[in-house]
Amino acid sequence: MSELVFFSGTMDCGKSTLALQIIHNRTARGLQAVIFTRDDRAGQGKLSSRLGLVTDAVEVADDMDLYGHLVGVISRGGRVDYAVVDEAQFLAPGQIDQLARVVDELDLDVYAFGITTDFRTRLFPGSQRLIELADRIEALQVEALCWCGARATHNARTIGGVMVVEGAQVVIGDVDRAAEVGYEVLCRRHHRRQMTSASAAAGTLSPDVLPVNHS
């Protein structure tokens, strides 16, 4: 049985590296993929990892019908054994429905890779729909760490090194926090405090104390 599988995690969890590894392993077995991506850091029509690996991909536009695209490839005599979708959080919910249709009607495996929540800790619409429809959800095993050493569970956006909690859901940046728009993974504790590695280094952390009322 073919499956729609959602590989999910935070930034810095190695999702694009895993996507490229899956493609490499199946290519070595003679299988051919159609690779979709959206807003990759390497530019349009690219799937890249922070390790420097990169491959060509189909850039997904807002109005693109992914099911129709694959039907078109097959009808023109192209071979499609499975599909890979990176940056799946940026897809529209309707496009996720199209991926489910690919599995059900074309009998192709679809491997979708994406982060679950944005810098405001809210689900991306594409990720939410994947959680609702996926046959299987796999948490990526590469554990991202907050600057404090705890497990990172939240994505933070920084502008000029300062964490922000308002703004458009999608703004392309990178984990290079020296850039104007950057991203950093944090544990929940430090995301709630809006405390990035830069702000932590700027001052000495005070110990946690419980509030005490003096009579």
Side-chain angles (χ1 to χ4, degrees):
M1 292 287 292
S2 298
E3 290 184 307
L4 172 58
V5 185
F6 181 30
F7 294 90
S8 67
T10 59
M11 293 178 294
D12 283 359
C13 63
K15 65 176 182 58
S16 297
T17 300
L18 178 59
L20 288 163
Q21 185 65 53
I22 285 176
I23 294 166
H24 172 79
N25 290 345
R26 282 161 175 73
T27 299
R29 292 170 48 199
L31 301 176
Q32 296 185 25
V34 170
I35 306 166
F36 297 103
T37 191
R38 176 75 187 261
D39 294 334
D40 189 275
R41 71 181 71 82
Q44 286 200 345
K46 299 293 181 182
L47 190 167
S48 67
S49 77
R50 294 193 176 95
L51 298 179
L53 303 173
V54 62
T55 191
D56 292 331
V58 177
E59 185 75 16
V60 177
D62 290 339
D63 59 352
M64 184 176 182
D65 182 341
L66 281 71
Y67 174 84
H69 179 88
L70 289 172
V71 169
V73 172
I74 295 169
S75 65
R76 292 190 296 270
R79 178 178 170 185
V80 182
D81 294 305
Y82 65 102
V84 170
V85 185
D86 197 27
E87 307 295 356
Q89 72 274 4
F90 295 145
L91 271 59
Q95 291 172 321
I96 304 302
D97 284 78
Q98 293 161 13
L99 294 178
R101 187 181 178 192
V102 167
V103 174
D104 296 340
E105 298 186 16
L106 301 183
D107 197 24
L108 299 176
D109 286 318
V110 175
Y111 304 106
F113 298 80
I115 60 178
T116 49
T117 57
D118 64 16
F119 70 105
R120 302 166 299 180
T121 72
R122 297 174 184 170
L123 284 169
F124 283 97
S127 298
Q128 178 178 335
R129 194 60 177 148
L130 274 165
I131 291 170
E132 293 166 348
L133 290 183
D135 297 294
R136 187 157 48 94
I137 300 172
E138 298 284 349
L140 290 166
Q141 298 304 308
V142 176
E143 188 174 88
L145 299 178
C146 178
W147 60 264
C148 69
R151 181 172 178 266
T153 54
H154 290 63
N155 305 304
R157 178 186 294 170
T158 60
I159 297 180
V162 178
M163 181 175 163
V164 295
V165 293
E166 295 182 355
Q169 186 173 56
V170 179
V171 175
I172 306 304
D174 208 341
V175 292
D176 177 7
R177 289 177 293 278
E180 180 63 19
V181 177
Y183 290 91
E184 180 175 356
V185 290
L186 300 172
C187 64
R188 184 184 63 235
R189 181 184 192 181
H190 288 124
H191 191 280
R192 290 180 62 248
R193 295 180 177 180
Q194 299 182 32
M195 188 174 292
T196 65
S197 58
S199 61
T204 302
L205 295 177
S206 60
D208 293 332
V209 295
L210 293 174
V212 176
N213 294 323
H214 296 283
S215 57

